[in-house]
Amino acid sequence: MKAFGRILVCGVFSLPLFAVAVGCDPVAPFSFLSSASGGGAVPGSSDGDVAAGNSNESPDEVSPDGVAVTDPDEPSDVSEPDEIDAPDDADETAPTAEDTDGDGFTDDEEQTALPGSDPENPDDTPENPIDSDGDGCSDYDEVTFQGFCDANPNSDDVAVFDDPSAAHTFSLTVVRHTDVPFTDAQVDAVFAAGGALLKTADPECPDIATDSTFERNGSLTTFDVGGAVLTAESQLDTVFGVVADVKVVDFMVGVCGVPQTDDMSVVLGCASIGGSLVITATAAPDVWVHEWGHVQGLLHRDDCPRNIMHAFEVETNAVNERERNAFLTPTPRFGKVALGADPESPGAVARLRRYVAEPTRAWLRRVVDTDFLAGVPSGVMEDLSSEAVGDLVEMLDAPEFAGRRRNVVRMLGFTKNAAACDVLEARVSGPAGEVDFDGLAVACESILAVGRLAAHDPNGEALRWLMAGCDPATWQARGVDWHYRAHGVEAIRNLLARVSIKALGISGHDDALAHLRSLTSEEFSPQVIEAIAWLTKGDATQKRAHRPTRQP
């Protein structure tokens, strides 16, 4: 999916010689700081198994009942520092040497301090820290502190970054689910296009041409676990556990660390920091590059819509110096990077908000006519009203919005107008035959939209429609006779049942909870477990402190 100041690690503002703990132990990049902070322990774990090529992941932690462990106090807002200033109340006994390169670490620290190590990796110890690139700065420090540690007081980055001719090649292993048609030639084409995007300099945004190349490491192989269509975080966990850098699936909805119910939507890709990525087969090359940027430890940056790391824009290519550096270095060997800043921060959604005196119809058309990584940002929906239903319904069949109708149905779900339910329900049945990605997304987003509108339906018809939809046989009775790529009609009916379960989870209804608890099919248990968690514990339960950091 595309999410950040100061770096926040498990509620810790990390500064040179200084750490302010917010709910956990502080983390420090150097040994004399780590000792003072009890070793700088960071909760969490890496994603999946050790992967081929650039990845190195470890299994998730779950509670005895199989539900991912959660921490409702886990912070989510993190910013990326442009400059770090020493605090006024810094320890008087701390070193006060000059900071020649102005990177926030003193010359003394950069030249003499011992590197930090990952407290949860037994192979990464203070006595023998992992330093993959051999620059004298441990992997843990480079990733956790976003490049401010470089063991060189005369430069704020390793020397190669100052070389305009610097280049790097990522040799990546790629696998596809057995139900996903995808070839070596398609991988090569995506990799070539992705590298070309980075090598360009975009005049619309500040951009630096970056000579990064992506190449396939061996032939495409297959996996048959988790599913080709992912509708539960536990399914995504399984796919992330597959040994490869890139895992190709067909479709994802309501996964990749959804922070709150409003954010549940169709997503194009998902990355595990320092690990690997899961991508949909139809995703554009810039989405592949964006997700690999997350693997490299990059955060979302939304100051220009053409940024390759923009939180929700697609058709992007621009990178800044920090991002260039990340695309010119080996992949971090662990997933302890602090992420989580809201991708719908005011900076990211401001241009999509309704302007003063802007006509409703013009604003709706402007939002709908945009491609998104993970659906229309929920922050934009604050400007919606129930009166927008008529305009949105008209747009559903407007030829100019072909390929973006999923944006329309997602917005209908935020109008708080139950009158939209009939239109949404009709969109799911659809005509017989094959649908494209947008057609499948429209069906799934329509069901989720009905889930959001159920709370505004005094007659309870929306809720009953969703409850019935938890049975695949209902979708046969409703006339669903279409398919998507290699997924036949029966597979589609099963998918719609799973999405109906997820929609009950965001409905907020006690009756929905009772119905979910009555479902006994083991086939749908991952979706039922998550839906019950949403209803009983709210948004906080989905933060999953012990699930590795993931980002769409």
Side-chain angles (χ1 to χ4, degrees):
M1 298 169 211
K2 284 181 174 187
F4 302 82
R6 289 175 184 161
I7 296 180
L8 181 64
V9 183
C10 183
V12 179
F13 291 98
S14 297
L15 300 167
L17 312 176
F18 182 79
V20 179
V22 183
C24 66
D25 293 336
V27 181
F30 305 114
S31 63
F32 61 85
L33 290 176
S34 298
S35 299
S37 63
V42 179
S45 60
S46 296
D47 226 338
D49 297 323
V50 175
N54 290 271
S55 304
N56 188 355
E57 309 178 9
S58 57
D60 296 335
E61 296 183 32
V62 297
S63 62
D65 60 0
V67 180
V69 180
T70 5
D71 180 2
D73 296 324
E74 182 188 7
S76 61
D77 291 339
V78 182
S79 299
E80 184 177 1
D82 294 320
E83 182 177 356
I84 298 180
D85 298 319
D88 294 336
D89 56 347
D91 188 343
E92 295 180 358
T93 63
T96 57
E98 184 179 2
D99 177 12
T100 304
D101 58 7
D103 65 356
F105 292 102
T106 67
D107 294 3
D108 180 75
E109 290 168 3
E110 296 190 81
Q111 291 174 314
T112 66
L114 296 177
S117 58
D118 180 1
E120 294 189 11
N121 183 350
D123 297 324
D124 191 10
T125 65
E127 296 76 22
N128 188 28
I130 296 174
D131 179 10
S132 298
D133 58 8
D135 67 352
C137 181
S138 69
D139 288 7
Y140 183 77
D141 288 347
E142 289 194 281
V143 178
T144 305
F145 294 91
Q146 292 288 296
F148 282 101
C149 168
D150 59 19
N152 182 352
N154 297 312
S155 172
D156 58 5
D157 285 306
V158 276
V160 67
F161 300 149
D162 296 326
D163 180 2
S165 65
H168 185 76
T169 297
F170 294 101
S171 182
L172 308 180
T173 53
V174 184
V175 297
R176 64 174 178 86
H177 191 276
T178 53
D179 292 335
V180 179
F182 213 69
T183 66
D184 285 351
Q186 286 176 290
V187 173
D188 294 343
V190 170
F191 280 177
L197 287 173
L198 289 176
K199 291 178 177 66
T200 61
D202 194 318
E204 182 179 341
C205 300
D207 187 16
I208 305 174
T210 302
D211 192 1
S212 293
T213 300
F214 301 91
E215 65 178 19
R216 176 170 42 85
N217 182 358
S219 295
L220 200 64
T221 57
T222 62
F223 65 96
D224 61 359
V225 296
V229 176
L230 307 178
T231 57
E233 293 286 357
S234 57
Q235 288 180 292
L236 185 59
D237 292 342
T238 300
V239 174
F240 265 119
V242 173
V243 180
D245 297 311
V246 180
K247 277 81 80 161
V248 183
V249 298
D250 253 340
F251 195 76
M252 293 186 282
V253 56
V255 297
C256 198
V258 180
Q260 56 188 8
T261 56
D262 285 352
D263 298 312
M264 190 177 293
S265 65
V266 172
V267 299
L268 302 180
C270 185
S272 171
I273 309 306
S276 62
L277 65 88
V278 180
I279 195 83
T280 53
T282 57
D286 65 305
V287 179
W288 288 60
V289 175
H290 172 99
E291 300 303 339
W292 191 252
H294 284 317
V295 174
Q296 292 298 108
L298 291 175
L299 317 176
H300 282 160
R301 184 171 63 90
D302 306 319
D303 55 353
C304 180
R306 294 285 296 169
N307 293 343
I308 199 78
M309 297 310 298
H310 197 281
F312 56 76
E313 293 278 1
V314 296
E315 300 179 1
T316 59
N317 71 315
V319 299
N320 63 10
E321 183 176 4
R322 181 183 301 283
E323 291 157 354
R324 174 180 181 267
N325 293 351
F327 283 115
L328 291 177
T329 54
T331 304
R333 298 301 177 184
F334 54 92
K336 300 298 188 299
V337 181
L339 285 183
D342 188 355
E344 296 166 8
S345 61
V349 303
R351 74 177 189 86
L352 291 175
R353 296 294 298 270
R354 185 177 178 182
Y355 304 142
V356 175
E358 183 178 19
T360 299
R361 183 185 293 265
W363 170 66
L364 293 173
R365 295 175 72 89
R366 183 164 58 84
V367 175
V368 169
D369 197 25
T370 304
D371 287 324
F372 298 99
L373 279 166
V376 181
S378 59
V380 176
M381 310 300 185
E382 296 175 12
D383 297 329
L384 272 175
S385 67
S386 61
E387 289 74 25
V389 169
D391 289 330
L392 288 168
V393 170
E394 287 184 16
M395 295 169 67
L396 272 175
D397 293 315
E400 61 265 38
F401 298 118
R404 295 188 175 96
R405 293 189 174 97
R406 62 186 180 273
N407 295 342
V408 178
V409 297
R410 176 162 164 77
M411 295 184 78
L412 280 169
F414 288 87
T415 60
K416 301 179 182 179
N417 189 339
C421 288
D422 289 343
V423 174
L424 292 166
E425 293 165 8
R427 286 286 157 175
V428 183
S429 297
E434 183 172 4
V435 300
D436 59 11
F437 183 90
D438 189 61
L440 180 57
V442 164
C444 293
E445 291 283 10
S446 292
I447 296 173
L448 294 176
V450 173
R452 295 187 178 98
L453 293 172
H456 306 282
D457 177 17
N459 298 320
E461 293 179 4
L463 191 65
R464 289 190 291 273
W465 186 82
L466 291 173
M467 289 179 179
C470 296
D471 182 353
T474 297
W475 295 105
Q476 180 179 6
R478 289 174 176 170
V480 171
D481 194 26
W482 46 270
H483 64 280
Y484 174 68
R485 286 166 54 87
H487 306 279
V489 174
E490 291 301 321
I492 293 300
R493 292 169 182 167
N494 282 336
L495 167 62
L496 299 180
R498 289 183 171 89
V499 179
S500 297
I501 291 170
K502 295 184 75 72
L504 286 178
I506 64 176
S507 69
H509 266 279
D510 290 339
D511 289 345
L513 180 60
H515 184 77
L516 288 168
R517 286 174 170 162
S518 73
L519 300 177
T520 58
S521 172
E522 185 174 342
E523 181 182 5
F524 299 147
S525 62
Q527 292 77 22
V528 171
I529 289 171
E530 290 185 14
I532 290 175
W534 281 111
L535 283 170
T536 57
K537 298 180 181 178
D539 293 345
T541 192
Q542 303 301 317
K543 292 183 179 178
R544 294 175 298 275
H546 295 280
R547 175 170 276 131
T549 301
R550 292 176 184 161
Q551 201 69 44

